[in-house]
Amino acid sequence: MSSVTTEFADGVAVFTIDRPDARNAVNQEVATELAAAVDELERRDDISIAILTGAGGTFCAGMDLKAFTRGELPFVPGRGFGGLTESPPTKPLIAAVEGWALAGGCELALSADLIVAAEDAKFGLPEVKRGLVAAAGGLLRLPKILPYQLASEIALTGEPVTAPRLHQFGVVNTITASGGALDGARELAARIAANGPLAVKATKQVLGMAVRYTDPDLFTAQSVPLDPVFASADAQEGALAFAEKRAPNWTGR
């Protein structure tokens, strides 16, 4: 059974992470299948925009930490976490968020061009609570779209922030009733898909260039301070503590 389901119709693609029992946590299979879905999106001239969502009332809980402790990484070389955070599609992407968008799940949402979220949805970068770092673009993108102090609070405390608060700052485009995020995203996507596909694609490219929203040089540069963290004993301890439902014992090594 596929971990990512796809739908292509009326100029719009819908990608659904389908691991509800794991809160749609991303493992290697999800990353590979999302990358393949993006490749199909890029090939198809009849599709000009995509929606990314999660099954079962949760967008994505981030990296599958149990898989991480087994040495499995949810990345695709050159594409990043989930197969798209470092190299999102050249066509616009909308994140339709229900429930939680945490850690890498939040970073998947931030890699989208637009976000539609249910009123009770929550976003967060809790990596620091696990001895890890938000390395999939969250630390690069948040300061571009939020005041620096608020971005720092979210990233350094690891505490969640609600969709309505992010809507106040323009991070979330549209707030819907609970359960209505995908329908809201479809409505927004239809408005964009009605426009000239070449113009839409070029417009996204220039917008991203203007703010360096997807800059491979930045992803390369951040590896200098971040790689030692992922190789540390604390990183393994944080993931194990989460899996074992206990408080971590940090050593600073």
Side-chain angles (χ1 to χ4, degrees):
M1 181 177 178
S2 176
S3 294
V4 176
T5 62
T6 60
E7 171 193 332
F8 297 88
D10 301 321
V12 179
V14 179
F15 306 146
T16 304
I17 304 173
D18 195 6
R19 299 186 71 212
D21 292 343
R23 296 199 302 167
N24 299 321
V26 177
N27 57 12
Q28 180 63 57
E29 181 180 38
V30 171
T32 300
E33 292 182 1
L34 270 179
V38 170
D39 287 342
E40 183 173 358
L41 168 69
E42 301 286 25
R43 287 194 299 266
R44 294 186 59 152
D45 293 335
D46 61 323
I47 304 295
S48 57
I49 187 168
I51 298 169
L52 176 64
T53 193
T58 294
F59 181 72
C60 176
M63 178 171 66
D64 188 327
L65 290 177
K66 292 181 180 179
F68 174 72
T69 61
R70 299 192 298 266
E72 182 180 329
L73 297 177
F75 299 89
V76 173
R79 311 283 282 270
F81 177 82
L84 62 79
T85 56
E86 289 184 32
S87 183
T90 61
K91 299 173 183 180
L93 179 66
I94 302 174
V97 179
E98 296 281 350
W100 292 94
L102 288 177
C106 182
E107 292 175 296
L108 284 173
L110 291 175
S111 70
D113 304 285
L114 307 105
I115 300 176
V116 175
E119 59 191 358
D120 55 354
K122 293 182 179 180
F123 299 74
L125 296 174
E127 282 89 344
V128 290
K129 293 180 178 289
R130 314 290 178 227
L132 301 171
V133 185
L139 302 183
L140 299 174
R141 291 174 172 136
L142 268 186
K144 290 183 171 70
I145 55 179
L146 284 174
Y148 178 81
Q149 287 75 13
L150 180 55
S152 295
E153 178 183 341
I154 292 170
L156 294 174
T157 66
E159 296 170 359
V161 59
T162 65
R165 189 177 186 201
L166 290 181
H167 182 252
Q168 291 175 348
F169 287 92
V171 178
V172 172
N173 296 81
T174 304
I175 295 288
T176 73
S178 181
L182 181 55
D183 286 343
R186 287 183 185 277
E187 189 277 332
L188 179 57
R191 289 159 50 199
I192 295 171
N195 298 323
L198 295 180
V200 165
K201 183 176 179 180
T203 297
K204 166 175 173 162
Q205 181 180 5
V206 175
L207 286 171
M209 289 167 52
V211 295
R212 300 182 72 196
Y213 204 66
T214 302
D215 191 328
D217 291 338
L218 294 179
F219 280 93
T220 300
Q222 76 169 3
S223 66
V224 176
L226 300 193
D227 284 354
V229 177
F230 282 92
S232 70
D234 271 358
Q236 287 294 321
E237 168 61 14
L240 283 170
F242 176 79
E244 296 171 1
K245 299 181 179 179
R246 60 173 173 82
N249 298 308
W250 306 123
T251 63
R253 296 192 296 272

